[in-house]
């Protein structure tokens, strides 16, 4: 569990959805924040934490996901600059949950590191959700036992963050990860790793392309 404070409200980020049941038994204080949060930098005033066990990005094993030995989370990109990307639902939640591996765009980006994901104002309809979930069932096939779809798809909300480790051209993406080529046919592809989901999404009004969150939210 990772926690922080945004606009005076407690924000908790789950590494594992099973941790949600444990929240009722936890009492968070400023002192406990130092003990619980060892990788998620909300307070710059704190000393640099010691390295702890690697955080899980989802329930899906690494061997099932897009993986490359060069795609290690870089320490120099670990700073949270509040950069955010707006996505339509249900794609936004699936990206933050680690089911959707990449995000396709018509434009490239040099951004690497933490990227916050916000859902757009338009709510998804049940047909869109059903069709997309069925697409990922066919994509994961025998690995579906690891995939747990979100129970809801909140709109106009800050959902969590993803570590962007690469931006590939569509052609390079298809050559490098042929088993995932069906996930994106866009000219450019953002490759995501290591996700963190907000337990309680925060209402936000998104913008086009990459934009910066209000400083009070960091």
């Amino acid at each position: 569990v990772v926690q922080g404070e945004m606009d005076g409200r407690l924000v908790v980020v789950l590494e594992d959805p099973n941790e949600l049941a444990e929240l009722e038994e936890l009492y968070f204080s400023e002192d406990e924040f130092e003990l619980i949060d060892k990788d998620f930098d909300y307070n710059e005033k704190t000393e640099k934490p010691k390295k702890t066990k690697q955080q899980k990005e989802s329930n899906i094993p690494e061997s099932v996901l897009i993986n490359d030995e060069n795609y290690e989370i870089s320490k120099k990109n670990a700073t949270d600059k509040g950069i955010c990307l707006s996505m339509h639902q249900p794609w936004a939640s699936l990206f933050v949950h680690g089911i959707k591996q990449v995000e396709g765009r018509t434009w490239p980006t040099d951004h690497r590191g933490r990227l916050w994901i916000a859902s757009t104002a338009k709510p998804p309809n049940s047909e869109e959700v059903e069709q997309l979930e069925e697409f990922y069932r066919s994509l994961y096939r025998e690995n579906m036992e690891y995939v747990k779809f979100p129970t809801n798809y909140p709109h106009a909300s800050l959902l969590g963050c993803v570590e962007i480790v690469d931006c590939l051209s569509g052609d390079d993406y298809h050559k490098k990860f042929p088993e995932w080529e069906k996930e994106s046919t866009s000219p450019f592809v953002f490759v995501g790793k290591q996700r963190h989901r907000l337990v309680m999404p925060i209402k936000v009004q998104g913008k086009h392309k990459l934009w910066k969150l209000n400083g009070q939210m960091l």
Side-chain angles (χ1 to χ4, degrees), residues 1-3 13 15 33-43 46-56 73-75 77-80 114 161 163 194 196:
V1 175
V2 179
Q3 71 165 353
V13 183
E15 297 174 2
F33 173 79
E34 297 299 323
L35 297 175
I36 296 170
D37 180 16
K38 290 300 183 183
D39 293 306
F40 209 78
D41 182 21
Y42 271 106
N43 294 325
T46 59
E47 296 182 0
K48 186 175 182 180
K50 296 181 180 179
K51 185 175 181 180
T52 57
K53 64 180 182 179
Q54 185 177 359
Q55 295 174 308
K56 290 165 43 176
I73 305 301
S74 173
K75 291 183 179 179
N77 290 326
T79 303
D80 189 347
R114 184 165 296 148
C161 56
E163 297 290 331
Q194 193 172 327
H196 296 287

Side-chain angles (χ1 to χ4, degrees), residues 78-209:
T79 303
D80 189 347
K81 299 178 181 178
I83 304 300
C84 189
L85 177 69
S86 296
M87 295 174 59
H88 292 293
Q89 287 286 33
W91 293 269
S93 287
L94 293 180
F95 196 37
V96 171
H97 277 250
I99 298 171
K100 177 177 169 61
Q101 294 295 291
V102 301
E103 169 61 3
R105 294 281 149 161
T106 58
W107 42 272
T109 181
D110 293 328
H111 178 77
R112 299 293 184 273
R114 184 165 296 148
L115 179 66
W116 288 91
I117 303 299
S119 57
T120 59
K122 180 184 177 182
N125 60 56
S126 57
E127 184 177 349
E128 287 176 324
V129 172
E130 184 177 345
Q131 289 179 350
L132 194 59
E133 289 184 352
E134 183 57 36
F135 167 78
Y136 280 101
R137 288 188 186 95
S138 66
L139 193 62
Y140 281 96
R141 295 187 296 276
E142 65 271 17
N143 294 307
M144 267 305 299
E145 62 181 294
Y146 304 112
V147 178
K148 293 180 175 60
F149 291 112
T151 56
N152 58 73
Y153 295 88
H155 62 283
S157 300
L158 187 66
L159 304 175
C161 56
V162 176
E163 297 290 331
I164 299 300
V165 293
D166 206 353
C167 177
L168 301 170
S169 69
D171 289 340
D172 287 343
Y173 165 69
H174 294 153
K175 291 176 183 177
K176 193 167 187 176
F177 304 108
E179 68 277 19
W180 291 92
E181 65 178 352
K182 292 182 179 179
E183 193 176 25
S184 178
T185 58
S186 299
F188 297 96
V189 179
F190 301 178
V191 181
K193 299 280 286 182
Q194 193 172 327
R195 279 81 169 169
H196 296 287
R197 303 184 295 276
L198 294 182
V199 175
M200 298 182 64
I202 301 171
K203 286 295 182 182
V204 294
Q205 184 175 358
K207 301 177 183 179
H208 293 295
K209 293 194 173 182

